[in-house]
Amino acid sequence: MKAMAKGLMLVFLAPLTLLAFDQKERAALRQLAGTVESEIRSVSVLDGKAITVLPVKGDQEGYFEGLLIQALTRAGKTCVTANDEEKDARFKRILSEIKWDERQAILRSVDPATIDTLGELKSTQILLESAVEIVKNGPKETVAELNLLAYAIKTKQYVWGANVIDGKFAPIKTIGETAQGMADPSRIRVAVRCEKGNAAVVIDDAASAIRNALAKAGYVVDSPFPPDVEVTVSASREVFDRTGEWYKLTGSLSLKTRILGGNPRTLAEKTVTKSGARGLGEAAAEKNLANALTAEAGEWVKASFTPEQVGLKVSTVELKLREKVVSADELKLQAEFCQTVNAEKGVRSARLIRQDAKTGTFTFRIVFDAEQFSDGFLNTLMVKHPEWDLGYVK
């Protein structure tokens, strides 16, 4: 590890606090919107599609959202708004419920039924996600950076994305990864897995309720990257009574949560058995059974996914090369760092999430059991590995 210490400096990344836009920032945002207007004209995948712009992450008082809508409209794209005040109020209420501005990461972590509702309220085909950030290069230069992602309601997939940085408009090649990159990496990722069985409706409804509850609690749900926690949903059902075409079903819903990574452990388990109301036909009866069991799923998430019970925390750590090294040495340094961190008791995972070859920086996401690092994760590393000569920046 002494070899690694000579080549790297460790920096703890702290969250930034956004303030209201000043005159220079507004000027930078207007220039950004102008770049979007001129470049997005040629994005054919958006042609003829009804687009709704979601609240812009990093925006203040809707300032850039208005500029973005104007840019899209002037570029010949179709931006739709609510048909009436009642629908617009409901649209805003749903956004508030999923806490889009504060906690929600990407549309992929929202219940598909909710996305369908959002689209229906505004006759939308494409939901446009965006995140804007102000970057100050010294006291005199202020620039704005933008990330755009287009989500097709029909296919439930991201169909296009672009980054606008320093006046340059760059289409995104790997949309899934960039979508996840819009999320705060310090948030815990939860995967919801559904097991096969004879109660598909029960499983699907319960899984949707769980995903919604997790997203509202601030977790990133079903991201394309390795999860920190896994929820398994299984169910079974049988005919309790049949009278003519009327069915009454009974069934059970089983829920299990595991903390993943080093030394996986079970966090919580629950099995609920209930009977559903009679239904005309077996399909209707299974839906009634699902309604009876699904209410338990959301409440179970609230009870078992508190931060204290989950007990996980995430640190984002940046390694900077002190001097230029060859590519092979870069890979060796990365591997040595991950290996050493993963060997610490209580560390669940240490993974590289970003790399900038030009500046020689590597950003790692480290998940660990909070109780094992009462003095703080980075402080513990500094005490245990003084040979690293770590630099600490707030």
Side-chain angles (χ1 to χ4, degrees):
M1 292 307 299
K2 289 185 178 180
M4 185 178 75
K6 295 179 180 178
L8 299 172
M9 178 175 65
L10 189 63
V11 180
F12 182 76
L13 302 183
L16 298 176
T17 301
L18 291 175
L19 302 175
F21 297 136
D22 58 27
Q23 291 185 353
K24 289 184 178 180
E25 291 169 340
R26 289 182 176 232
L29 291 170
R30 289 193 294 270
Q31 182 177 2
L32 190 68
T35 301
V36 172
E37 179 183 340
S38 62
E39 296 290 343
I40 209 168
R41 296 178 188 274
S42 59
V43 180
S44 59
V45 72
L46 301 180
D47 288 346
K49 303 294 184 181
I51 302 169
T52 291
V53 176
L54 293 171
V56 181
K57 292 179 185 295
D59 198 6
Q60 296 295 317
E61 300 177 349
Y63 179 76
F64 186 72
E65 181 180 340
L67 293 177
L68 183 57
I69 291 173
Q70 292 177 30
L72 290 168
T73 303
R74 291 171 180 169
K77 307 305 179 185
T78 304
C79 289
V80 295
T81 58
N83 298 325
D84 53 55
E85 292 184 359
E86 181 178 348
K87 286 188 175 182
D88 189 57
R90 188 179 174 198
F91 182 87
K92 292 179 179 178
R93 186 172 68 252
I94 291 176
L95 287 181
S96 176
E97 288 174 358
I98 64 176
K99 300 185 187 304
W100 181 264
D101 285 323
E102 299 175 10
R103 295 179 179 175
Q104 196 56 51
I106 56 173
L107 282 171
R108 183 176 292 156
S109 63
V110 180
D111 179 16
T114 301
I115 295 175
D116 290 337
T117 301
L118 289 174
E120 290 169 0
L121 289 175
K122 294 201 171 191
S123 303
T124 305
Q125 295 169 292
I126 298 287
L127 289 170
L128 189 66
E129 300 174 44
S130 54
V132 68
E133 181 179 356
I134 299 294
V135 180
K136 293 183 180 293
N137 298 325
K140 295 184 178 181
E141 185 180 5
T142 299
V143 297
E145 299 182 0
L146 176 67
N147 180 287
L148 293 171
L149 290 167
Y151 185 94
I153 291 177
K154 183 176 181 180
T155 63
K156 302 292 186 294
Q157 298 289 325
Y158 289 97
V159 295
W160 173 83
N163 287 320
V164 189
I165 302 175
D166 196 20
K168 298 179 181 178
F169 192 91
I172 298 171
K173 295 182 179 179
T174 311
I175 296 177
E177 292 185 8
T178 303
Q180 182 59 25
M182 289 179 67
D184 181 354
S186 67
R187 292 166 56 198
I188 303 298
R189 300 169 180 166
V190 183
V192 180
R193 312 294 190 200
C194 298
E195 293 186 347
K196 294 182 179 180
N198 67 342
V201 174
V202 175
I203 292 174
D204 288 347
D205 285 5
S208 292
I210 290 170
R211 290 185 177 103
N212 269 346
L214 287 169
K216 288 180 180 180
Y219 295 94
V220 176
V221 186
D222 288 345
S223 80
F225 296 101
D228 309 311
V229 183
E230 181 180 72
V231 178
T232 302
V233 184
S234 60
S236 62
R237 54 94 165 174
E238 60 182 18
V239 178
F240 177 78
D241 181 61
R242 177 181 177 182
T243 304
E245 295 300 317
W246 290 88
Y247 286 78
K248 183 178 179 64
L249 302 182
T250 185
S252 63
L253 173 67
S254 296
L255 307 170
K256 183 177 181 179
T257 301
R258 283 173 57 80
I259 304 295
L260 304 179
N263 298 318
R265 62 179 173 88
T266 299
L267 174 65
E269 290 184 275
K270 184 172 184 177
T271 298
V272 182
T273 300
K274 286 194 174 185
S275 296
R278 290 185 181 276
L280 183 57
E282 194 167 356
E286 184 173 356
K287 186 64 177 177
N288 291 340
L289 176 62
N291 291 338
L293 291 170
T294 295
E296 299 280 348
E299 293 302 318
W300 176 75
V301 169
K302 294 178 183 178
S304 59
F305 271 85
T306 63
E308 294 76 17
Q309 287 179 303
V310 175
L312 297 181
K313 285 192 175 181
V314 183
S315 280
T316 304
V317 175
E318 184 178 272
L319 296 177
K320 290 187 177 181
L321 293 172
R322 292 186 183 276
E323 55 190 28
K324 185 62 178 176
V325 297
V326 298
S327 298
D329 288 338
E330 287 184 3
L331 295 175
K332 182 179 179 181
L333 292 170
Q334 294 172 34
E336 287 181 352
F337 178 79
C338 286
Q339 183 179 4
T340 301
V341 173
N342 278 317
E344 291 289 335
K345 183 180 179 181
V347 171
R348 294 284 164 180
S349 64
R351 295 187 176 91
L352 180 72
I353 59 174
R354 283 189 297 276
Q355 178 176 342
D356 188 337
K358 292 183 179 179
T359 60
T361 59
F362 310 93
T363 306
F364 294 85
R365 179 179 182 271
I366 302 170
V367 184
F368 55 92
D369 293 324
E371 64 178 11
Q372 296 290 337
F373 298 89
S374 57
D375 293 332
F377 175 75
L378 192 64
N379 289 338
T380 301
L381 285 185
M382 292 173 70
V383 171
K384 289 189 175 182
H385 300 280
E387 75 275 11
W388 285 6
D389 186 26
L390 305 181
Y392 180 68
V393 179
K394 290 185 177 181

